[in-house]
Amino acid sequence: MQTSKIFGFAVYVSAFKRQRPFLEMMKDQNAPVFTSLHMNEEVTDSYVDDVEEMCQWLHENGFWIMADVSPLTLKRFGEDSLASLARRLHLDNLRLDFGFDLKQLKKDELNVSFTYNASTLLNQDSEEAEAFYMHNFYPRPETGLDDVFFTSLNQRIKEASGQTLAFISGDEEKRGPLYEGLPTLEAHRYLSPYAQCVDLLKTYGVDKVFLGDIKMSDFELDLIMKYLEDGLIRLPVKLPAALDQLYNERFTVRVDSPGTLIRVQESRQYAQAGKHVEPDQTDKRLRGSVTMDNERYKRYSGEVQVTKADYPQDDRVNVIGRLSEKYHLLLDNLHNGETFMFVPERGE
C-alpha cells in the first residue's frame, strides 16, 4: 500500500504559514494536497504572490498538488489557459467545478490529471479512465452527506472506473468561520480524525482521504499513518497499570464473536487454571467497554472482551477500560477474524 498517496491535506493560502510545521512531517512522500484557487475570502493584495510561494514550497518538498480552479482563477493570475497556470504553479491535478467546457479541455494537451465534483458532475460524459471524483466538505453542521447518498454516489463512480476522494474533520485547529469541522459525512463531524479515516477507507472504499481542517494532532496523524502501513486497527484506551501488558500486542477477534461483542481470542490464556482475577469495577458495560472476566466466571476468568453495544452490570465481569465515544466508530470497522491492538490513549 502506497500510504503517502492515500492520505493528504487541504492547504489554505491564508493559513499556510501555520500549516507548514505540520506539513514538514510529510515532506518528500508524494502526499496529496488540495487547495482552492477561487475562494474570494482568501484574496488579499498579495494573494497571487502568496499562492506562488505556497505552491513552490509544496512542489520543492515533494507534495502532489491538486487545485480547485475556475475561469476567475485564470483572470486573477493573468493566464490565458489552464496549461500555463498548471506549469506556473506546479499543479499535478485540476479540480474542475464549473465554467469550463470539459469536452474541449480533453482535447487540450494538459500534462495534468482531472478531478470532478462527485456530487454535481458525475453524470457528465467522461472519456477519462480512472478519473478522480472528489466529494465536497460541509462547514455548516447538519449539511454533510448521509451514508446512503454517499454510498450510492461511490457505487456509481466505481462503476465508471473512477476513484473517490473525501474529507475528514480535524481535532486541533479547525477552519473558520464556523470552526465546526470540515467533513464530507455529517456523522463524522465531531469524531476522531483517525476513526473517520478508517471508516472512509474500510467501510466506504474511498481511494484518497483529505484532512479538511487546518491541523490535526500528532497523536491522530500517527494512528492514521500506522493504519495505512499495516491495516491494523488500534483502540486507544486507558488500562490499569497492572494490565499494561495488554498494550501494543496483536489480538484477534474470535471468528465466532456475536455482532455486538468482540471476544479476544488470545485472552483465553488468561483463563488457564491458576489465573487469579479478583472482582473489581464490575460496572455497567456501556458500548466501548473493555472487560475482563473475574474469578467468579470460573474457567473464563481472564477473558477479555470489548462491547459494541450496552450490556448490563455483571459481578463476574470487570470493566478495565472504556473507549472514548469519538473512537466508537472503530468498533464498527473491526470484524470477526481480524487483528487489532490496544494502545494508550492520548496523554497516557
Side-chain angles (χ1 to χ4, degrees), residues 50-67:
D50 292 341
V51 169
E52 287 184 317
E53 180 182 344
M54 177 182 74
C55 290
Q56 182 67 32
W57 186 91
L58 292 169
H59 173 68
E60 291 177 351
N61 287 280
F63 288 87
W64 185 83
I65 309 172
M66 171 193 295

Side-chain angles (χ1 to χ4, degrees), residues 179-194:
Y179 304 100
E180 295 272 6
L182 298 176
T184 292
L185 286 174
E186 184 58 38
H188 283 176
R189 187 173 299 276
Y190 304 115
L191 302 182
S192 146
Y194 164 57

Side-chain angles (χ1 to χ4, degrees), residues 156-189:
R156 293 163 63 193
I157 291 168
K158 294 297 184 182
E159 289 170 0
S161 298
Q163 295 189 46
T164 53
L165 289 66
F167 291 91
I168 61 172
S169 58
D171 67 329
E172 192 159 279
E173 184 175 353
K174 300 191 177 184
R175 189 168 183 270
L178 298 181
Y179 304 100
E180 295 272 6
L182 298 176
T184 292
L185 286 174
E186 184 58 38
H188 283 176
R189 187 173 299 276

Side-chain angles (χ1 to χ4, degrees), residues 23-71:
L23 294 169
E24 288 277 354
M25 295 183 289
M26 301 293 292
K27 287 170 54 175
D28 301 317
Q29 298 184 44
N30 203 33
V33 296
F34 167 77
T35 191
S36 177
L37 299 182
H38 63 80
M39 297 173 65
N40 290 332
E41 63 266 31
E42 293 272 286
V43 178
T44 63
D45 292 341
S46 60
Y47 176 76
V48 171
D49 291 338
D50 292 341
V51 169
E52 287 184 317
E53 180 182 344
M54 177 182 74
C55 290
Q56 182 67 32
W57 186 91
L58 292 169
H59 173 68
E60 291 177 351
N61 287 280
F63 288 87
W64 185 83
I65 309 172
M66 171 193 295
D68 198 358
V69 296
S70 72

Side-chain angles (χ1 to χ4, degrees), residues 222-238:
D222 183 60
L223 287 171
I224 288 173
M225 299 313 294
K226 285 178 177 175
Y227 175 75
L228 294 177
E229 289 169 5
D230 58 23
L232 191 71
I233 288 181
R234 290 165 172 81
L235 301 180
V237 64
K238 181 180 180 180

